[in-house]
Amino acid sequence: MPSLDLQFCLPGVTYLNGDSGSLPLAHPGQFFVAQENWLAVAAVERFLDPDAPGTLALFGPPGTGKTRLLDLLEREYHRRNPQAVILRQNAAEFGHAVAEALANRRHRAFRKTWQAADLVILDDLQFLAEYPAGQEECVVMLQAAEHGSPRVAVASRVRPWHITDLDHRIGEILTGGLTAPLALPGVSVRKALFQAAFGQYGFLLTDAAADLLAQELALSPRQILGLAQEAAHNLGERHVDYELAQSLVRMHNKRALVTMEQVARATARYFHIPLKRLRGPGREREEVLARDVAMYLSHKLAKRTLKEIGRYFGGRDHTTVGHGCRRIEELIATDLTVREALLIIEEMLGVA
């Protein structure tokens, strides 16, 4: 993790290191960086160098700032290269455009559009898996990027080489360029985001209130902004102290997005484990991981207590459930495989 005095050239980025309580309220367009995502910002900055590799791949769960970083990349690339031609599309739009060009016999003209670009940006690469012709065109474009023109930057929810039904050549080419993961913000970044988001709506959070919200609500930046918007509509008081923050936490935690049964079934499907085994006493490594994931998501999404979760998963003690949930929280910060499992299961449940 770089220190605060490390100067990156990318505008719109604020580095956090340790306690963020003294950080001034940031501009709404600011991108907060701590150990969860500083590598991604460094990769974007490196990609802006003239001698950088021709491709950049950013990947991480929804709400981690992939699109925001692509925005920053686009603006800064244009600032440094005012005459540059930048082509930016959602990957689904790109795939649809390729299919339409082929149907109208305008494929050669379409290819000339990206060949004339200096920088091509494709967001939500996972959606390209639905467009076979778009994938083939993407391979050709990435092969051109390997030789220097155009530069190609992509973002996806999971690592591109793990996207189901995506041409393996796309992942192989991207692994040869710059790649970087993003993760949901940790406590220090969440605290700064709560301060910035609530400050944007005229709230003043006490330090104790910001600490409580950051500790109790493991939300994405998008969700934090949504909570601030909701508070702005529902609260007349603009001074948020510890007691009022407690009420906000209780209000948020009352909303169960899914049932515990739905969580368990989706987790069992993802790990290819029968539901009976997931809820049973088995101690095989994969069973334990899957069960811990299911218990963690039951607590996070179904808003069930540790005691209720333990009862459902084989009559386990609430301390065992708590240990499993803490284990997953620790793995989220270090294990991309676990982060991707959580993301895909949440997508299966329709809450990602």
Side-chain angles (χ1 to χ4, degrees):
M1 173 66 191
S3 61
L4 281 174
D5 60 358
L6 179 62
Q7 295 299 311
F8 277 84
C9 303
L10 197 60
V13 169
T14 294
Y15 272 89
L16 303 180
N17 194 9
D19 180 22
S20 61
S22 61
L23 184 77
L25 294 181
H27 186 275
Q30 204 79 351
F31 186 90
F32 290 96
V33 185
Q35 66 183 47
E36 297 87 5
N37 53 16
W38 73 264
L39 183 61
V41 176
V44 171
E45 177 61 29
R46 175 71 180 96
F47 188 65
L48 288 162
D49 290 342
D51 62 343
T55 63
L56 167 68
L58 305 174
F59 47 90
T64 51
K66 301 181 299 296
T67 299
R68 177 63 54 77
L69 273 184
L70 293 181
D71 292 341
L72 294 173
L73 168 64
E74 182 178 8
R75 289 201 299 268
E76 182 62 8
Y77 191 91
H78 179 72
R79 187 186 71 81
R80 297 185 187 189
N81 308 278
Q83 305 304 316
V85 176
I86 301 174
L87 174 64
R88 180 169 180 176
Q89 287 185 300
N90 182 280
E93 295 172 345
F94 179 84
H96 180 75
V98 173
E100 191 174 66
L102 287 169
N104 295 327
R105 298 185 179 183
R106 293 182 51 81
H107 179 243
R108 185 173 298 180
F110 175 84
R111 180 167 291 183
K112 285 182 178 179
T113 61
W114 65 253
Q115 287 177 331
D118 299 286
L119 172 64
V120 177
I121 300 175
L122 293 182
D123 203 355
D124 287 321
L125 185 67
Q126 68 275 358
F127 295 135
L128 192 62
E130 302 174 18
Y131 299 90
Q135 293 180 58
E136 192 66 38
E137 189 70 11
C138 186
V139 169
V140 176
M141 185 170 65
L142 290 173
Q143 288 171 339
E146 287 186 300
H147 293 92
S149 182
R151 300 273 189 95
V152 179
V154 305
S156 61
R157 294 184 178 182
V158 298
R159 284 174 275 192
W161 43 97
H162 286 174
I163 297 174
T164 304
D165 296 330
L166 189 69
D167 192 310
H168 69 92
R169 292 174 294 173
I170 294 175
E172 289 172 356
I173 295 172
L174 289 172
T175 57
L178 294 165
T179 65
L182 289 93
L184 289 170
V187 173
S188 66
V189 183
R190 287 203 298 272
K191 180 177 179 181
L193 289 170
F194 273 114
Q195 291 171 325
F198 275 73
Q200 183 179 336
Y201 287 94
F203 288 96
L204 177 62
L205 271 67
T206 66
D207 199 56
D211 276 333
L212 178 69
L213 293 172
Q215 292 284 350
E216 294 294 328
L217 300 180
L219 305 179
S220 72
R222 187 182 306 152
Q223 291 170 320
I224 289 172
L225 184 60
L227 185 63
Q229 290 174 331
E230 185 176 357
H233 284 112
N234 297 328
L235 297 180
E237 174 63 54
R238 285 299 189 262
H239 179 79
V240 180
D241 58 12
Y242 187 87
E243 184 177 353
L244 188 52
Q246 284 182 312
S247 68
L248 288 172
V249 170
R250 286 194 296 269
M251 177 184 70
H252 176 81
N253 286 342
K254 283 181 180 177
R255 302 170 188 151
L257 300 178
V258 293
T259 67
M260 192 155 45
E261 177 82 8
Q262 290 171 320
V263 169
R265 291 188 178 279
T267 305
R269 284 201 306 274
Y270 177 82
F271 284 97
H272 303 289
I273 294 175
L275 181 61
K276 186 176 181 179
R277 279 179 59 196
L278 183 73
R279 297 180 60 186
R283 298 299 300 169
E284 293 183 12
R285 184 176 180 180
E286 188 176 21
E287 287 177 338
V288 173
L289 176 62
R291 190 178 299 118
D292 285 350
V293 165
M295 292 191 299
Y296 171 82
L297 290 175
S298 293
H299 188 53
K300 175 187 175 184
L301 302 178
K303 309 298 182 188
R304 311 311 296 179
T305 67
L306 299 185
K307 186 176 181 179
E308 290 171 327
I309 294 168
R311 188 184 306 125
Y312 179 83
F313 286 94
R316 286 173 164 79
D317 185 84
H318 74 278
T319 57
T320 302
V321 177
H323 175 76
C325 291
R326 286 191 297 273
R327 177 180 176 235
I328 296 302
E329 288 176 348
E330 292 170 358
L331 288 174
I332 288 171
T334 60
D335 193 323
L336 286 172
T337 303
V338 170
R339 289 206 295 267
E340 288 171 3
L342 293 170
L343 168 64
I344 293 171
I345 293 169
E346 289 182 3
E347 286 186 333
M348 291 167 66
L349 292 166
V351 298

